[in-house]
Amino acid sequence: MPRRVNLPGADELFRATAPRATAAPAPEATEPQSPKASGRVKHDEKMTVYLTSEELLALEQARIQLRAELGRKIDRGRLVRAAMALALEDIGARGSESDIARRLADS
């Protein structure tokens, strides 16, 4: 008796998917919204960032320090997203006077 595995057909493998939702309209300009770190959720987008070994080591040491002080597991991605939210909030509030803008201007 031959052993055959039932595989899905091409219709099941290459089914049509729903189109992506369009971007939401921009919020009213009355109150600037502070960017929030997304935390532990499923992320659909990806960005690759290259670091020097010293930068990666510093990031890992910061993560370990926060884990020890807060008593919670914090992964590197979550730490980077939180730092990015702080930087974006600072840019939104102070523009070219923000810490990150000055650091970028100096480099």
Side-chain angles (χ1 to χ4, degrees):
M1 183 177 350
R3 291 184 179 187
R4 294 194 65 132
V5 177
N6 290 330
L7 298 174
D11 292 339
E12 290 89 17
L13 290 174
F14 303 106
R15 63 182 169 75
T17 59
R20 277 193 150 170
T22 58
E28 298 276 333
T30 56
E31 183 72 29
Q33 292 186 349
S34 298
K36 304 268 190 240
S38 57
R40 294 185 60 89
V41 298
K42 181 182 183 295
H43 296 91
D44 296 324
E45 305 300 328
K46 180 179 179 176
M47 182 179 93
T48 302
V49 177
Y50 292 93
L51 304 173
T52 64
S53 57
E54 292 83 13
E55 291 167 334
L56 185 59
L57 181 60
L59 179 64
E60 188 64 19
Q61 288 171 338
R63 184 189 70 79
I64 292 169
Q65 178 183 351
L66 287 172
R67 182 181 66 185
E69 291 175 4
L70 299 176
R72 295 175 53 192
K73 289 185 179 179
I74 298 173
D75 59 72
R76 290 185 299 213
R78 190 171 176 198
L79 177 57
V80 168
R81 287 188 299 274
M84 185 181 67
L86 285 172
L88 292 173
E89 184 178 335
D90 191 27
I91 290 170
R94 301 189 306 152
S96 62
E97 296 299 313
S98 65
D99 293 335
I100 190 125
R102 283 187 284 165
R103 183 173 288 215
L104 290 169
D106 292 342
S107 62

